[in-house]
Amino acid sequence: MNHFLISALLGCALLAPGVIHAQQPDPGIIPGDILLMLTPDGRAQTVADELRTLDGVVTGVQVDGEVSEPMRIWLLKFDHTAVPQQRMLEAVKRHPMVMIAQNDHPVT
């Protein structure tokens, strides 16, 4: 099944009231994975290159692959032991070439 579809369904479930508490880490995420949707002129490699370091820490970020060409969705992987998941997600979301970003979730 398509990563984007699965993530979109999981995203909707997480938005439902009472599903998750903001203070608690989500045990259902894949540490070190971030899905992102690029702007029409965005490039995943540029995003990765510009986030190689964050707050002076080497992130180990790399483009893992394109998930959906028509929707411009890509998967980034990074060293979650060097940079907290939430901090990296926030940095990706703020990048000017990124429209939307979210944690990746396992499919069972």
Side-chain angles (χ1 to χ4, degrees):
M1 188 180 270
N2 183 315
H3 263 77
F4 176 73
L5 176 61
I6 293 164
S7 293
L9 292 172
L10 287 170
C12 290
L14 291 175
L15 292 175
V19 173
I20 189 166
H21 297 93
Q23 310 87 313
Q24 298 175 352
D26 182 352
I29 67 168
I30 300 173
D33 282 14
I34 294 180
L35 290 166
L36 60 99
M37 176 187 277
L38 295 170
T39 60
D41 61 340
R43 291 179 28 98
Q45 190 59 55
T46 300
V47 174
D49 290 346
E50 293 179 1
L51 293 174
R52 292 252 182 253
T53 61
L54 189 58
D55 302 328
V57 176
V58 176
T59 64
V61 69
Q62 59 187 342
V63 177
D64 190 64
E66 189 173 40
V67 176
S68 172
E69 182 180 355
M71 300 204 61
R72 302 178 313 276
I73 298 178
W74 293 78
L75 176 62
L76 296 182
K77 291 193 174 280
F78 69 98
D79 182 358
H80 66 92
T81 64
V83 180
Q85 185 83 22
Q86 188 61 33
R87 177 69 183 103
M88 189 67 178
L89 179 60
E90 290 166 2
V92 172
K93 284 181 176 182
R94 281 195 314 273
H95 194 282
M97 290 185 176
V98 175
M99 292 180 65
I100 301 169
Q102 70 177 46
N103 291 314
D104 194 10
H105 297 80
V107 179
T108 54

